[in-house]
Every structure is written in structure tokens, then in C-alpha cells.
Amino acid sequence: MVTLRSGRVVWDTVPARAPAFRLVATDLDGTLLRSDLTVSARTRRALERVAAAGAHHLVVTGRPAVACRHLLNTLGYRGLAVCGQGAQLYDAGADRLLASRSLDRDLARDVVEKVEAELGRVELGIVTSPPESRFKVTPGFGERVRHGWDVTTDRDLLWAVPIDKLILHHPDVDEDRLTAVTRRLTGDEVTVVHSVKGMVEVLPAGTDKGAGVARAAELLGFTGADTVAFGDMPNDIPLLAWAAHGVAVANAHHDLRAMADEIAPGNDEDGVASVLERLFAPMEVRP
């Protein structure tokens, strides 16, 4: 603060102001990323504004660490990330997995038996445990085989190595009903989440994005009260519930929209950026 000869007091630099939130937790697919898996220039500028304000950006994604490494690199992201629906803590700067939870294979098979006894045959996918984190599926799992998928007709091969998660797909039952049925049949034995259209994920009990972000935030020195969180699918409900302010993008699932504190524009309209620009707007200095 400087006092001029006239007696008027002015600032010689922009006064510091504490940001509205100290932690910005964002999902990737369908939220921070556009549909083509890119990050717009506007979103990059908004994240730079967050950093300039002294706040921290934390990625919280359903992707396993190995599957988001390239995306984080394109963002220039070097910090801690919550991956695998909260099952993994990943140090992007060091490219090092700090913690990971696995799903018991006998329990996974039991889940499949229970669901198929009620709904008929389901197509299966599994993510193997690190360091490989391979995605293995049965032939009818998706409309088309995607790059990087290992397809097998022998279901026994799905259980040949440790796994992190089980993914269910039913050709005739939508994901909302499949999620509800799986939860009813398994109780608290596992965590069941819906994060991608047509896919229902089965995870170790107690694993979700809320638990994952709480663990990461504690390591970083933050709490839910410090946090604004962004998401688009039901698996983001625990994340938004944990944060002081939860934002669903316009393209979000109706269950997430119903519990969010705010609805932002869609991911292809830079919804995350539009909210961050408001929350981290530069302070106006008036003479």
C-alpha cells in the first residue's frame, strides 16, 4: 500500500485475495475433456487462473492410472491424481502408483453368477491389476472392439491374474437397471458404480471417488470445505457430495444433476472453465 503526496492511498500491486476454493477436483471424461478427449484452450487458461490464485487442481477419474497417463501429460499435469474410481493414488509427475486396491476374483465370479441368475447372460470386462492394467473383455462386450482391448471367448482367462475391477454389460438391460439389480444382489460386499454408457463397474467395497478424493485431499492439506468438484456421471455423486460445492455439467446423468449444487454448460461448451472463470475472477482494484 502506497500513500501518494495528495494523500490518496493506492496499491502498488494487485491485492492478494483468498480464492473461493483452494481445491478444484475434476472428473476427466465427459467433464473436463471435450468429447474428442481434448482440453480446450479456454479450459487451460481457466486452470492456469486457478494455479495463479494459489489453488490446486486435482484430477479424479474412473480411468486406471495407466490409461490416463497420456491425457495428464497433454494437460501438463504433474501432481497427485485419483484414478480407478478412487482405488488408486497416482503421482503423475513421478509416473508412480502410490496406492492401489484389488478386487477378490472369487467375489467377482460370485457377482457374475448372481446377476446372470436374475438377468441372464451378461458380457464381461475386467481391468487387470498394475502394472499391466489391461482391459480384457468377452466378445459381445461392446458394439465394436476398441483399440487396446484383449478379447477372449474363454471366461476362465478373465480370472487368471489379479484384477482391479469387474465391468458388466447387458445387451438388453440398460445400465441404470443393471446397476440397481447388481447393488441389490451384492449389498455391501462390493461397490457398484455406473460411469460410462452401457457399462456397470464392480469395485472393492468402500471404493468410490469420494473416498479417493478425501484421501488425496488429506495428503495435500485440504478438506471438503475447501473444494469445488465437477462431474458428469453417477460415479461422481460421492465426489460432489464430499465437496463443499458440487457442479454437474449440462450433459450429466440425471441422478448427478439432481444432487448437484450447480449445473454448468456441457463439456463441449467448456462448462468447467465457465465456472472457474467466475470463481477465480481477478479482483477489481478501484482507485
Side-chain angles (χ1 to χ4, degrees), residues 66-135:
V66 69
C68 62
R69 180 185 296 128
H70 172 70
L71 293 172
L72 297 180
N73 284 339
T74 61
L75 268 172
Y77 189 93
R78 296 291 180 265
L80 191 65
V82 179
C83 302
Q85 305 292 11
Q88 298 177 337
L89 285 179
Y90 172 61
D91 183 339
D95 188 21
R96 185 163 64 98
L97 192 62
L98 304 179
S100 181
R101 298 188 66 190
S102 296
L103 178 64
D104 182 84
R105 285 172 279 176
D106 289 334
L107 179 56
R109 279 185 290 225
D110 184 58
V111 170
V112 174
E113 290 177 4
K114 289 179 178 178
V115 172
E116 291 192 326
E118 180 156 333
L119 297 178
R121 187 177 178 85
V122 293
E123 298 295 338
L124 306 177
I126 57 98
V127 176
T128 64
S129 295
E132 293 84 6
S133 295
R134 299 290 300 174
F135 192 26

Short mmCIF file of all heavy atoms in Angstrom, two decimals, residues 66-135:
data_model
loop_
_atom_site.label_atom_id
_atom_site.label_comp_id
_atom_site.label_asym_id
_atom_site.label_seq_id
_atom_site.Cartn_x
_atom_site.Cartn_y
_atom_site.Cartn_z
N VAL A 66 -2.70 -46.09 -15.64
CA VAL A 66 -2.00 -46.30 -16.89
C VAL A 66 -2.80 -45.75 -18.08
O VAL A 66 -2.22 -45.35 -19.09
CB VAL A 66 -1.69 -47.80 -17.09
CG1 VAL A 66 -2.96 -48.61 -17.34
CG2 VAL A 66 -0.69 -48.01 -18.22
N ALA A 67 -4.13 -45.70 -17.96
CA ALA A 67 -4.97 -45.24 -19.05
C ALA A 67 -5.15 -43.72 -19.08
O ALA A 67 -5.67 -43.19 -20.06
CB ALA A 67 -6.34 -45.91 -18.99
N CYS A 68 -4.73 -43.03 -18.03
CA CYS A 68 -4.85 -41.57 -18.05
C CYS A 68 -3.49 -40.88 -18.11
O CYS A 68 -3.42 -39.65 -18.14
CB CYS A 68 -5.67 -41.06 -16.87
SG CYS A 68 -4.97 -41.39 -15.26
N ARG A 69 -2.42 -41.66 -18.17
CA ARG A 69 -1.07 -41.09 -18.19
C ARG A 69 -0.91 -40.11 -19.37
O ARG A 69 -0.43 -38.98 -19.20
CB ARG A 69 -0.03 -42.19 -18.29
CG ARG A 69 1.41 -41.70 -18.32
CD ARG A 69 2.37 -42.86 -18.54
NE ARG A 69 2.35 -43.82 -17.45
CZ ARG A 69 2.18 -45.12 -17.61
NH1 ARG A 69 1.99 -45.63 -18.81
NH2 ARG A 69 2.21 -45.92 -16.57
N HIS A 70 -1.33 -40.53 -20.58
CA HIS A 70 -1.17 -39.68 -21.76
C HIS A 70 -2.02 -38.42 -21.63
O HIS A 70 -1.55 -37.31 -21.95
CB HIS A 70 -1.57 -40.45 -23.02
CG HIS A 70 -1.61 -39.59 -24.25
ND1 HIS A 70 -0.47 -39.09 -24.84
CD2 HIS A 70 -2.67 -39.12 -24.99
CE1 HIS A 70 -0.81 -38.36 -25.89
NE2 HIS A 70 -2.12 -38.37 -26.00
N LEU A 71 -3.24 -38.55 -21.15
CA LEU A 71 -4.11 -37.38 -21.01
C LEU A 71 -3.53 -36.38 -20.01
O LEU A 71 -3.56 -35.16 -20.24
CB LEU A 71 -5.50 -37.82 -20.55
CG LEU A 71 -6.31 -38.63 -21.56
CD1 LEU A 71 -7.58 -39.16 -20.91
CD2 LEU A 71 -6.66 -37.79 -22.78
N LEU A 72 -2.99 -36.88 -18.91
CA LEU A 72 -2.40 -35.99 -17.92
C LEU A 72 -1.16 -35.29 -18.48
O LEU A 72 -0.91 -34.11 -18.20
CB LEU A 72 -2.06 -36.76 -16.66
CG LEU A 72 -3.25 -37.38 -15.92
CD1 LEU A 72 -2.77 -38.12 -14.67
CD2 LEU A 72 -4.27 -36.33 -15.54
N ASN A 73 -0.39 -36.01 -19.28
CA ASN A 73 0.78 -35.41 -19.91
C ASN A 73 0.39 -34.27 -20.84
O ASN A 73 1.05 -33.22 -20.88
CB ASN A 73 1.58 -36.46 -20.67
CG ASN A 73 2.39 -37.36 -19.75
OD1 ASN A 73 2.67 -37.01 -18.61
ND2 ASN A 73 2.77 -38.53 -20.24
N THR A 74 -0.68 -34.46 -21.62
CA THR A 74 -1.11 -33.41 -22.54
C THR A 74 -1.60 -32.18 -21.78
O THR A 74 -1.55 -31.06 -22.29
CB THR A 74 -2.22 -33.90 -23.48
OG1 THR A 74 -3.37 -34.30 -22.71
CG2 THR A 74 -1.75 -35.07 -24.32
N LEU A 75 -2.07 -32.38 -20.54
CA LEU A 75 -2.50 -31.27 -19.71
C LEU A 75 -1.33 -30.58 -19.02
O LEU A 75 -1.50 -29.50 -18.44
CB LEU A 75 -3.45 -31.77 -18.62
CG LEU A 75 -4.95 -31.77 -18.89
CD1 LEU A 75 -5.67 -32.50 -17.77
CD2 LEU A 75 -5.46 -30.36 -19.02
N GLY A 76 -0.16 -31.22 -19.06
CA GLY A 76 0.96 -30.71 -18.29
C GLY A 76 0.75 -30.95 -16.80
O GLY A 76 1.32 -30.24 -15.96
N TYR A 77 -0.04 -31.96 -16.48
CA TYR A 77 -0.41 -32.25 -15.09
C TYR A 77 0.71 -33.03 -14.42
O TYR A 77 1.11 -34.09 -14.90
CB TYR A 77 -1.71 -33.05 -15.10
CG TYR A 77 -2.36 -33.25 -13.74
CD1 TYR A 77 -3.33 -32.36 -13.29
CD2 TYR A 77 -2.02 -34.32 -12.93
CE1 TYR A 77 -3.96 -32.55 -12.07
CE2 TYR A 77 -2.63 -34.51 -11.70
CZ TYR A 77 -3.60 -33.63 -11.27
OH TYR A 77 -4.21 -33.82 -10.06
N ARG A 78 1.18 -32.54 -13.27
CA ARG A 78 2.32 -33.17 -12.61
C ARG A 78 2.05 -33.55 -11.16
O ARG A 78 2.94 -34.00 -10.46
CB ARG A 78 3.53 -32.21 -12.65
CG ARG A 78 4.03 -31.91 -14.05
CD ARG A 78 4.68 -33.14 -14.66
NE ARG A 78 5.18 -32.89 -16.00
CZ ARG A 78 4.50 -33.15 -17.11
NH1 ARG A 78 3.26 -33.64 -17.03
NH2 ARG A 78 5.01 -32.90 -18.31
N GLY A 79 0.82 -33.39 -10.73
CA GLY A 79 0.53 -33.62 -9.32
C GLY A 79 -0.06 -34.98 -9.03
O GLY A 79 0.02 -35.92 -9.83
N LEU A 80 -0.68 -35.09 -7.87
CA LEU A 80 -1.36 -36.30 -7.45
C LEU A 80 -2.67 -36.43 -8.21
O LEU A 80 -3.35 -35.43 -8.47
CB LEU A 80 -1.62 -36.22 -5.95
CG LEU A 80 -2.09 -37.47 -5.22
CD1 LEU A 80 -1.02 -38.55 -5.24
CD2 LEU A 80 -2.47 -37.11 -3.77
N ALA A 81 -3.06 -37.64 -8.58
CA ALA A 81 -4.32 -37.90 -9.25
C ALA A 81 -5.01 -39.08 -8.58
O ALA A 81 -4.35 -40.03 -8.15
CB ALA A 81 -4.12 -38.18 -10.74
N VAL A 82 -6.33 -39.01 -8.50
CA VAL A 82 -7.14 -40.10 -8.00
C VAL A 82 -7.66 -40.86 -9.22
O VAL A 82 -8.38 -40.30 -10.04
CB VAL A 82 -8.31 -39.59 -7.15
CG1 VAL A 82 -9.17 -40.75 -6.65
CG2 VAL A 82 -7.80 -38.77 -5.97
N CYS A 83 -7.30 -42.13 -9.35
CA CYS A 83 -7.64 -42.91 -10.54
C CYS A 83 -8.43 -44.16 -10.14
O CYS A 83 -8.57 -44.48 -8.97
CB CYS A 83 -6.37 -43.30 -11.30
SG CYS A 83 -5.35 -41.91 -11.82
N GLY A 84 -8.94 -44.87 -11.17
CA GLY A 84 -9.61 -46.14 -10.92
C GLY A 84 -10.82 -46.04 -10.03
O GLY A 84 -11.05 -46.90 -9.19
N GLN A 85 -11.61 -44.96 -10.18
CA GLN A 85 -12.81 -44.74 -9.36
C GLN A 85 -12.49 -44.55 -7.88
O GLN A 85 -13.33 -44.79 -7.01
CB GLN A 85 -13.82 -45.90 -9.51
CG GLN A 85 -14.25 -46.22 -10.91
CD GLN A 85 -15.10 -45.13 -11.54
OE1 GLN A 85 -15.22 -44.02 -11.01
NE2 GLN A 85 -15.70 -45.43 -12.69
N GLY A 86 -11.28 -44.11 -7.58
CA GLY A 86 -10.89 -43.89 -6.20
C GLY A 86 -10.01 -44.98 -5.64
O GLY A 86 -9.53 -44.89 -4.50
N ALA A 87 -9.76 -46.04 -6.42
CA ALA A 87 -8.96 -47.17 -5.93
C ALA A 87 -7.47 -46.89 -5.98
O ALA A 87 -6.69 -47.57 -5.29
CB ALA A 87 -9.27 -48.42 -6.74
N GLN A 88 -7.05 -45.91 -6.80
CA GLN A 88 -5.62 -45.68 -7.00
C GLN A 88 -5.25 -44.23 -6.70
O GLN A 88 -6.00 -43.30 -7.03
CB GLN A 88 -5.23 -45.99 -8.44
CG GLN A 88 -5.44 -47.43 -8.86
CD GLN A 88 -5.10 -47.66 -10.31
OE1 GLN A 88 -5.10 -46.73 -11.13
NE2 GLN A 88 -4.80 -48.90 -10.65
N LEU A 89 -4.09 -44.05 -6.09
CA LEU A 89 -3.47 -42.74 -5.97
C LEU A 89 -2.21 -42.76 -6.83
O LEU A 89 -1.35 -43.64 -6.67
CB LEU A 89 -3.10 -42.42 -4.52
CG LEU A 89 -4.26 -42.05 -3.59
CD1 LEU A 89 -3.73 -41.80 -2.18
CD2 LEU A 89 -4.98 -40.81 -4.10
N TYR A 90 -2.13 -41.79 -7.74
CA TYR A 90 -1.08 -41.80 -8.76
C TYR A 90 -0.33 -40.48 -8.74
O TYR A 90 -0.95 -39.40 -8.78
CB TYR A 90 -1.72 -42.04 -10.12
CG TYR A 90 -0.81 -41.91 -11.31
CD1 TYR A 90 0.30 -42.74 -11.47
CD2 TYR A 90 -1.07 -40.97 -12.31
CE1 TYR A 90 1.12 -42.63 -12.57
CE2 TYR A 90 -0.26 -40.85 -13.43
CZ TYR A 90 0.84 -41.68 -13.54
OH TYR A 90 1.65 -41.55 -14.65
N ASP A 91 0.98 -40.54 -8.68
CA ASP A 91 1.84 -39.36 -8.77
C ASP A 91 2.20 -39.18 -10.24
O ASP A 91 3.06 -39.88 -10.77
CB ASP A 91 3.09 -39.57 -7.92
CG ASP A 91 4.01 -38.36 -7.90
OD1 ASP A 91 3.92 -37.52 -8.83
OD2 ASP A 91 4.83 -38.26 -6.97
N ALA A 92 1.53 -38.23 -10.89
CA ALA A 92 1.74 -38.05 -12.33
C ALA A 92 3.13 -37.54 -12.64
O ALA A 92 3.73 -37.92 -13.66
CB ALA A 92 0.68 -37.09 -12.90
N GLY A 93 3.67 -36.67 -11.80
CA GLY A 93 4.99 -36.12 -12.06
C GLY A 93 6.09 -37.17 -12.04
O GLY A 93 6.99 -37.17 -12.86
N ALA A 94 5.97 -38.10 -11.10
CA ALA A 94 6.97 -39.18 -10.98
C ALA A 94 6.56 -40.42 -11.75
O ALA A 94 7.33 -41.38 -11.82
CB ALA A 94 7.16 -39.54 -9.50
N ASP A 95 5.36 -40.42 -12.35
CA ASP A 95 4.80 -41.59 -13.03
C ASP A 95 4.88 -42.80 -12.10
O ASP A 95 5.41 -43.86 -12.45
CB ASP A 95 5.53 -41.86 -14.35
CG ASP A 95 4.85 -42.94 -15.19
OD1 ASP A 95 3.66 -43.19 -14.96
OD2 ASP A 95 5.52 -43.53 -16.05
N ARG A 96 4.32 -42.63 -10.90
CA ARG A 96 4.43 -43.67 -9.89
C ARG A 96 3.09 -43.90 -9.21
O ARG A 96 2.43 -42.94 -8.77
CB ARG A 96 5.49 -43.28 -8.85
CG ARG A 96 5.77 -44.35 -7.81
CD ARG A 96 7.09 -44.07 -7.11
NE ARG A 96 7.06 -42.82 -6.35
CZ ARG A 96 6.83 -42.75 -5.03
NH1 ARG A 96 6.61 -43.86 -4.34
NH2 ARG A 96 6.83 -41.59 -4.42
N LEU A 97 2.67 -45.15 -9.13
CA LEU A 97 1.45 -45.51 -8.44
C LEU A 97 1.74 -45.61 -6.95
O LEU A 97 2.57 -46.41 -6.52
CB LEU A 97 0.92 -46.84 -8.98
CG LEU A 97 -0.50 -47.25 -8.58
CD1 LEU A 97 -1.52 -46.23 -9.10
CD2 LEU A 97 -0.82 -48.63 -9.12
N LEU A 98 1.05 -44.80 -6.16
CA LEU A 98 1.31 -44.75 -4.73
C LEU A 98 0.48 -45.75 -3.94
O LEU A 98 0.92 -46.24 -2.90
CB LEU A 98 1.03 -43.34 -4.19
CG LEU A 98 1.79 -42.20 -4.87
CD1 LEU A 98 1.40 -40.87 -4.24
CD2 LEU A 98 3.30 -42.42 -4.76
N ALA A 99 -0.73 -46.03 -4.44
CA ALA A 99 -1.61 -46.96 -3.74
C ALA A 99 -2.61 -47.53 -4.73
O ALA A 99 -3.00 -46.86 -5.69
CB ALA A 99 -2.35 -46.25 -2.60
N SER A 100 -3.03 -48.78 -4.49
CA SER A 100 -3.99 -49.42 -5.38
C SER A 100 -4.73 -50.51 -4.62
O SER A 100 -4.14 -51.18 -3.77
CB SER A 100 -3.28 -50.01 -6.60
OG SER A 100 -4.19 -50.60 -7.49
N ARG A 101 -6.02 -50.70 -4.93
CA ARG A 101 -6.82 -51.75 -4.33
C ARG A 101 -7.24 -52.75 -5.40
O ARG A 101 -7.57 -52.36 -6.52
CB ARG A 101 -8.07 -51.18 -3.66
CG ARG A 101 -7.80 -50.21 -2.52
CD ARG A 101 -9.09 -49.86 -1.81
NE ARG A 101 -9.65 -51.03 -1.13
CZ ARG A 101 -10.87 -51.05 -0.58
NH1 ARG A 101 -11.64 -49.99 -0.67
NH2 ARG A 101 -11.31 -52.14 0.03
N SER A 102 -7.26 -54.03 -5.06
CA SER A 102 -7.66 -55.08 -5.99
C SER A 102 -8.99 -55.69 -5.57
O SER A 102 -9.37 -55.64 -4.39
CB SER A 102 -6.59 -56.17 -6.07
OG SER A 102 -5.39 -55.67 -6.60
N LEU A 103 -9.69 -56.28 -6.54
CA LEU A 103 -10.96 -56.95 -6.29
C LEU A 103 -10.74 -58.45 -6.20
O LEU A 103 -10.10 -59.05 -7.09
CB LEU A 103 -11.93 -56.63 -7.44
CG LEU A 103 -13.32 -57.29 -7.38
CD1 LEU A 103 -14.11 -56.81 -6.16
CD2 LEU A 103 -14.08 -56.99 -8.67
N ASP A 104 -11.26 -59.07 -5.15
CA ASP A 104 -11.13 -60.50 -4.98
C ASP A 104 -11.79 -61.22 -6.15
O ASP A 104 -12.95 -60.98 -6.48
CB ASP A 104 -11.79 -60.93 -3.66
CG ASP A 104 -11.64 -62.40 -3.40
OD1 ASP A 104 -10.60 -62.81 -2.87
OD2 ASP A 104 -12.58 -63.16 -3.76
N ARG A 105 -11.05 -62.12 -6.79
CA ARG A 105 -11.56 -62.77 -8.00
C ARG A 105 -12.71 -63.73 -7.73
O ARG A 105 -13.65 -63.83 -8.53
CB ARG A 105 -10.42 -63.47 -8.73
CG ARG A 105 -9.50 -62.52 -9.46
CD ARG A 105 -8.28 -63.23 -10.02
NE ARG A 105 -7.27 -63.44 -8.99
CZ ARG A 105 -6.13 -64.10 -9.18
NH1 ARG A 105 -5.87 -64.64 -10.35
NH2 ARG A 105 -5.25 -64.24 -8.19
N ASP A 106 -12.68 -64.43 -6.60
CA ASP A 106 -13.79 -65.31 -6.25
C ASP A 106 -15.06 -64.50 -6.02
O ASP A 106 -16.16 -64.91 -6.41
CB ASP A 106 -13.46 -66.13 -5.01
CG ASP A 106 -12.40 -67.19 -5.28
OD1 ASP A 106 -12.29 -67.63 -6.44
OD2 ASP A 106 -11.69 -67.58 -4.33
N LEU A 107 -14.91 -63.35 -5.38
CA LEU A 107 -16.05 -62.47 -5.16
C LEU A 107 -16.59 -61.95 -6.49
O LEU A 107 -17.81 -61.89 -6.70
CB LEU A 107 -15.63 -61.31 -4.26
CG LEU A 107 -16.71 -60.26 -3.94
CD1 LEU A 107 -17.92 -60.91 -3.31
CD2 LEU A 107 -16.12 -59.19 -3.02
N ALA A 108 -15.69 -61.60 -7.41
CA ALA A 108 -16.12 -61.12 -8.73
C ALA A 108 -16.93 -62.18 -9.46
O ALA A 108 -17.97 -61.90 -10.07
CB ALA A 108 -14.90 -60.71 -9.54
N ARG A 109 -16.46 -63.41 -9.43
CA ARG A 109 -17.19 -64.51 -10.08
C ARG A 109 -18.56 -64.72 -9.44
O ARG A 109 -19.55 -65.01 -10.12
CB ARG A 109 -16.36 -65.79 -10.04
CG ARG A 109 -15.28 -65.85 -11.11
CD ARG A 109 -14.56 -67.18 -11.10
NE ARG A 109 -13.72 -67.32 -9.91
CZ ARG A 109 -12.47 -67.78 -9.92
NH1 ARG A 109 -11.91 -68.15 -11.04
NH2 ARG A 109 -11.78 -67.88 -8.81
N ASP A 110 -18.61 -64.57 -8.13
CA ASP A 110 -19.88 -64.72 -7.42
C ASP A 110 -20.87 -63.64 -7.84
O ASP A 110 -22.07 -63.90 -8.00
CB ASP A 110 -19.63 -64.66 -5.91
CG ASP A 110 -20.89 -64.91 -5.10
OD1 ASP A 110 -21.50 -65.99 -5.27
OD2 ASP A 110 -21.26 -64.03 -4.30
N VAL A 111 -20.38 -62.42 -8.04
CA VAL A 111 -21.23 -61.33 -8.52
C VAL A 111 -21.81 -61.68 -9.88
O VAL A 111 -23.02 -61.51 -10.14
CB VAL A 111 -20.45 -60.01 -8.58
CG1 VAL A 111 -21.26 -58.93 -9.31
CG2 VAL A 111 -20.06 -59.54 -7.19
N VAL A 112 -20.98 -62.19 -10.78
CA VAL A 112 -21.44 -62.56 -12.12
C VAL A 112 -22.53 -63.63 -12.03
O VAL A 112 -23.58 -63.54 -12.70
CB VAL A 112 -20.27 -63.06 -12.98
CG1 VAL A 112 -20.78 -63.60 -14.32
CG2 VAL A 112 -19.25 -61.94 -13.21
N GLU A 113 -22.33 -64.63 -11.19
CA GLU A 113 -23.32 -65.71 -11.04
C GLU A 113 -24.65 -65.18 -10.54
O GLU A 113 -25.72 -65.56 -11.04
CB GLU A 113 -22.78 -66.78 -10.09
CG GLU A 113 -21.63 -67.60 -10.67
CD GLU A 113 -21.07 -68.60 -9.66
OE1 GLU A 113 -21.66 -68.70 -8.55
OE2 GLU A 113 -20.07 -69.26 -9.97
N LYS A 114 -24.62 -64.28 -9.58
CA LYS A 114 -25.86 -63.73 -9.02
C LYS A 114 -26.61 -62.90 -10.06
O LYS A 114 -27.84 -63.01 -10.20
CB LYS A 114 -25.54 -62.87 -7.80
CG LYS A 114 -25.10 -63.65 -6.57
CD LYS A 114 -24.78 -62.70 -5.43
CE LYS A 114 -24.39 -63.48 -4.17
NZ LYS A 114 -24.01 -62.58 -3.05
N VAL A 115 -25.89 -62.05 -10.77
CA VAL A 115 -26.53 -61.19 -11.77
C VAL A 115 -27.11 -62.02 -12.91
O VAL A 115 -28.24 -61.80 -13.36
CB VAL A 115 -25.54 -60.14 -12.30
CG1 VAL A 115 -26.14 -59.37 -13.47
CG2 VAL A 115 -25.13 -59.17 -11.18
N GLU A 116 -26.36 -63.00 -13.38
CA GLU A 116 -26.83 -63.82 -14.50
C GLU A 116 -28.01 -64.70 -14.10
O GLU A 116 -28.87 -65.02 -14.93
CB GLU A 116 -25.69 -64.65 -15.07
CG GLU A 116 -24.64 -63.81 -15.78
CD GLU A 116 -23.66 -64.62 -16.58
OE1 GLU A 116 -23.32 -65.75 -16.15
OE2 GLU A 116 -23.21 -64.12 -17.63
N ALA A 117 -28.08 -65.09 -12.83
CA ALA A 117 -29.21 -65.89 -12.37
C ALA A 117 -30.51 -65.11 -12.46
O ALA A 117 -31.59 -65.68 -12.65
CB ALA A 117 -28.97 -66.35 -10.94
N GLU A 118 -30.42 -63.78 -12.37
CA GLU A 118 -31.63 -62.95 -12.43
C GLU A 118 -31.86 -62.33 -13.80
O GLU A 118 -33.01 -62.25 -14.25
CB GLU A 118 -31.56 -61.85 -11.38
CG GLU A 118 -32.78 -60.93 -11.39
CD GLU A 118 -33.01 -60.24 -10.06
OE1 GLU A 118 -32.61 -60.79 -9.01
OE2 GLU A 118 -33.60 -59.16 -10.08
N LEU A 119 -30.81 -61.93 -14.48
CA LEU A 119 -30.98 -61.17 -15.73
C LEU A 119 -30.55 -61.94 -16.97
O LEU A 119 -30.68 -61.43 -18.08
CB LEU A 119 -30.18 -59.86 -15.65
CG LEU A 119 -30.61 -58.86 -14.58
CD1 LEU A 119 -29.68 -57.64 -14.61
CD2 LEU A 119 -32.06 -58.42 -14.78
N GLY A 120 -30.02 -63.13 -16.81
CA GLY A 120 -29.50 -63.84 -17.97
C GLY A 120 -28.06 -63.44 -18.24
O GLY A 120 -27.45 -62.66 -17.51
N ARG A 121 -27.52 -63.96 -19.32
CA ARG A 121 -26.10 -63.79 -19.61
C ARG A 121 -25.71 -62.32 -19.78
O ARG A 121 -26.38 -61.56 -20.48
CB ARG A 121 -25.73 -64.57 -20.88
CG ARG A 121 -24.23 -64.59 -21.18
CD ARG A 121 -23.93 -65.43 -22.40
NE ARG A 121 -22.52 -65.44 -22.74
CZ ARG A 121 -21.61 -66.26 -22.20
NH1 ARG A 121 -21.99 -67.15 -21.30
NH2 ARG A 121 -20.33 -66.21 -22.56
N VAL A 122 -24.63 -61.96 -19.13
CA VAL A 122 -24.06 -60.63 -19.30
C VAL A 122 -22.69 -60.77 -19.94
O VAL A 122 -22.03 -61.81 -19.82
CB VAL A 122 -23.92 -59.88 -17.95
CG1 VAL A 122 -25.27 -59.57 -17.37
CG2 VAL A 122 -23.06 -60.66 -16.97
N GLU A 123 -22.28 -59.74 -20.67
CA GLU A 123 -20.92 -59.69 -21.21
C GLU A 123 -20.01 -59.08 -20.16
O GLU A 123 -20.43 -58.20 -19.39
CB GLU A 123 -20.89 -58.88 -22.50
CG GLU A 123 -21.74 -59.45 -23.62
CD GLU A 123 -21.26 -60.81 -24.12
OE1 GLU A 123 -20.06 -61.13 -23.91
OE2 GLU A 123 -22.08 -61.56 -24.70
N LEU A 124 -18.78 -59.54 -20.13
CA LEU A 124 -17.88 -59.19 -19.04
C LEU A 124 -16.64 -58.47 -19.53
O LEU A 124 -16.14 -58.71 -20.62
CB LEU A 124 -17.45 -60.46 -18.29
CG LEU A 124 -18.55 -61.37 -17.77
CD1 LEU A 124 -17.93 -62.61 -17.13
CD2 LEU A 124 -19.44 -60.64 -16.80
N GLY A 125 -16.14 -57.60 -18.67
CA GLY A 125 -14.84 -56.98 -18.86
C GLY A 125 -14.14 -56.93 -17.52
O GLY A 125 -14.79 -56.87 -16.47
N ILE A 126 -12.84 -56.97 -17.54
CA ILE A 126 -12.07 -56.80 -16.30
C ILE A 126 -10.86 -55.91 -16.59
O ILE A 126 -10.38 -55.84 -17.73
CB ILE A 126 -11.61 -58.14 -15.69
CG1 ILE A 126 -10.76 -58.97 -16.69
CG2 ILE A 126 -12.79 -58.95 -15.20
CD1 ILE A 126 -9.29 -58.83 -16.50
N VAL A 127 -10.41 -55.22 -15.57
CA VAL A 127 -9.15 -54.48 -15.65
C VAL A 127 -8.17 -55.20 -14.74
O VAL A 127 -8.42 -55.35 -13.54
CB VAL A 127 -9.31 -53.02 -15.22
CG1 VAL A 127 -7.95 -52.32 -15.21
CG2 VAL A 127 -10.27 -52.28 -16.14
N THR A 128 -7.08 -55.67 -15.32
CA THR A 128 -6.10 -56.38 -14.51
C THR A 128 -5.34 -55.41 -13.61
O THR A 128 -5.29 -54.20 -13.87
CB THR A 128 -5.10 -57.14 -15.41
OG1 THR A 128 -4.34 -56.20 -16.18
CG2 THR A 128 -5.82 -58.09 -16.35
N SER A 129 -4.76 -55.95 -12.57
CA SER A 129 -4.05 -55.10 -11.61
C SER A 129 -2.75 -54.56 -12.20
O SER A 129 -2.21 -55.12 -13.16
CB SER A 129 -3.74 -55.90 -10.34
OG SER A 129 -4.95 -56.27 -9.69
N PRO A 130 -2.24 -53.44 -11.66
CA PRO A 130 -0.97 -52.88 -12.13
C PRO A 130 0.15 -53.91 -11.99
O PRO A 130 0.06 -54.82 -11.16
CB PRO A 130 -0.76 -51.69 -11.18
CG PRO A 130 -2.12 -51.37 -10.65
CD PRO A 130 -2.84 -52.68 -10.56
N PRO A 131 1.21 -53.77 -12.78
CA PRO A 131 1.47 -52.62 -13.66
C PRO A 131 0.82 -52.71 -15.04
O PRO A 131 0.79 -51.71 -15.76
CB PRO A 131 3.00 -52.65 -13.80
CG PRO A 131 3.34 -54.10 -13.70
CD PRO A 131 2.38 -54.67 -12.70
N GLU A 132 0.29 -53.88 -15.44
CA GLU A 132 -0.24 -54.00 -16.80
C GLU A 132 -1.53 -53.21 -16.98
O GLU A 132 -1.69 -52.49 -17.96
CB GLU A 132 -0.49 -55.47 -17.15
CG GLU A 132 0.78 -56.31 -17.25
CD GLU A 132 1.23 -56.80 -15.89
OE1 GLU A 132 0.49 -56.58 -14.89
OE2 GLU A 132 2.30 -57.41 -15.80
N SER A 133 -2.50 -53.38 -16.05
CA SER A 133 -3.80 -52.72 -16.15
C SER A 133 -4.42 -52.92 -17.53
O SER A 133 -4.84 -51.97 -18.18
CB SER A 133 -3.68 -51.24 -15.81
OG SER A 133 -3.30 -51.05 -14.47
N ARG A 134 -4.48 -54.17 -17.98
CA ARG A 134 -5.06 -54.50 -19.28
C ARG A 134 -6.58 -54.58 -19.17
O ARG A 134 -7.13 -54.95 -18.13
CB ARG A 134 -4.53 -55.83 -19.79
CG ARG A 134 -3.03 -55.87 -19.99
CD ARG A 134 -2.58 -55.02 -21.14
NE ARG A 134 -3.17 -55.45 -22.41
CZ ARG A 134 -3.01 -54.78 -23.55
NH1 ARG A 134 -2.31 -53.67 -23.59
NH2 ARG A 134 -3.54 -55.25 -24.66
N PHE A 135 -7.27 -54.23 -20.27
CA PHE A 135 -8.72 -54.32 -20.34
C PHE A 135 -9.08 -55.56 -21.15
O PHE A 135 -8.86 -55.59 -22.36
CB PHE A 135 -9.29 -53.05 -20.97
CG PHE A 135 -10.78 -52.91 -20.83
CD1 PHE A 135 -11.46 -53.50 -19.77
CD2 PHE A 135 -11.51 -52.18 -21.75
CE1 PHE A 135 -12.84 -53.36 -19.63
CE2 PHE A 135 -12.89 -52.03 -21.62
CZ PHE A 135 -13.54 -52.62 -20.55
#
